[in-house]
Amino acid sequence: MTLFELYNLPFAIALMVLLFISVLQIVGIGDFFDGGDADIDLDFDADGLSADGLGTGGGLLEGAFSLLGLGRMPFLIWLMMLIALYAIIGLAGQQAAISLLGDPLHTGLASLLAGAAAVPANGALSRPIARLLPKDETTAVTLDSLVRRDAEVQIGTARKGSPARTKVVDRFGHPHFVMVEPHDPHAALTEGETVLLVRREGETFYAVQYEHPKLGLD
């Protein structure tokens, strides 16, 4: 069996694509394909996808993604595995057809069967492989996640229209330095004082002192 025979052409192309992506990864420009952050986010809003009592759409989508193996590993690794399985299954299937039938399957049929087999095989294989991959938990946080956290005024006194540099620690223990004004326009937040960030407008946060009545509200 020759790799570049017409009946093997889809699988030969798949192997060349796999080689091309691998070379780009080696030379360090593979981020072109995954945008530098190719993980699939499986946080669905189930209520938003349900309608007319037909069930929870988010759960169905999440279940489908889980069966396919999406979200268990970086998308580029998942894609490369799928391409490799497609090529291997296709070439093996054509070899088996030649051995059993004396002739290879039609190119289109062989490609369709290989794809149909590769998708569930990739989903099953992704589970054990994902456990072996290093888990990189991102520690990036949004500015809004800093609201409702304690902060310490570090430089100057914060007054309305005159924010002060303030240190706030995120949930990962990383410090952030933000500009803070008092939520109460008549108040002043002095240097060294610990305050509570209660809202954000653009790049400016607003904070209250701990004796502020706002802290007693639900």
Side-chain angles (χ1 to χ4, degrees):
M1 181 178 68
T2 304
L3 177 62
F4 292 101
E5 291 287 350
L6 180 60
Y7 55 80
N8 280 331
L9 190 57
F11 315 119
I13 292 174
L15 289 176
M16 288 190 294
V17 170
L18 185 62
L19 178 62
F20 178 66
I21 296 176
S22 299
V23 170
L24 290 182
Q25 288 294 306
I26 291 172
V27 299
I29 58 175
D31 285 346
F32 174 79
F33 289 91
D34 61 8
D37 184 13
D39 293 336
I40 301 296
D41 185 0
L42 295 180
D43 293 332
F44 293 97
D45 183 355
D47 293 335
L49 292 174
S50 299
D52 301 326
L54 295 179
T56 302
L60 292 176
L61 283 176
E62 187 172 357
F65 272 58
S66 179
L67 287 175
L68 293 175
L70 286 166
R72 297 180 180 274
M73 60 180 63
F75 177 72
L76 189 60
I77 295 178
W78 180 90
L79 179 62
M80 292 176 70
M81 286 175 51
L82 179 62
I83 295 173
L85 284 171
Y86 169 77
I88 292 170
I89 292 172
L91 292 172
Q94 290 292 54
Q95 181 61 56
I98 292 173
S99 299
L100 296 174
L101 306 176
D103 288 304
L105 298 176
H106 184 275
T107 304
L109 178 59
S111 180
L112 181 63
L113 292 175
V119 170
N122 193 45
L125 190 60
S126 67
R127 295 181 182 89
I129 291 181
R131 297 189 190 102
L132 301 176
L133 295 176
K135 300 297 188 295
D136 295 327
E137 182 181 9
T138 178
T139 56
V141 298
T142 64
L143 287 178
D144 284 336
S145 70
L146 301 178
V147 175
R148 307 301 299 180
R149 300 194 70 86
D150 291 349
E152 180 185 348
V153 181
Q154 289 208 319
I155 299 177
T157 297
R159 294 185 174 87
K160 180 182 178 181
S162 179
R165 185 174 185 266
T166 304
K167 176 183 176 182
V168 56
V169 178
D170 65 29
R171 62 191 179 94
F172 295 106
H174 296 164
H176 300 264
F177 297 92
V178 298
M179 302 306 292
V180 171
E181 290 186 26
H183 173 73
D184 182 347
H186 303 293
L189 309 176
T190 59
E191 186 172 324
E193 185 175 4
T194 298
V195 297
L196 178 69
L197 304 181
V198 294
R199 63 186 177 92
R200 177 177 76 92
E201 292 182 7
E203 298 298 317
T204 302
F205 286 80
Y206 293 82
V208 297
Q209 298 161 314
Y210 271 96
E211 66 272 16
H212 195 281
K214 184 178 178 65
L215 292 177
L217 298 178
D218 294 331

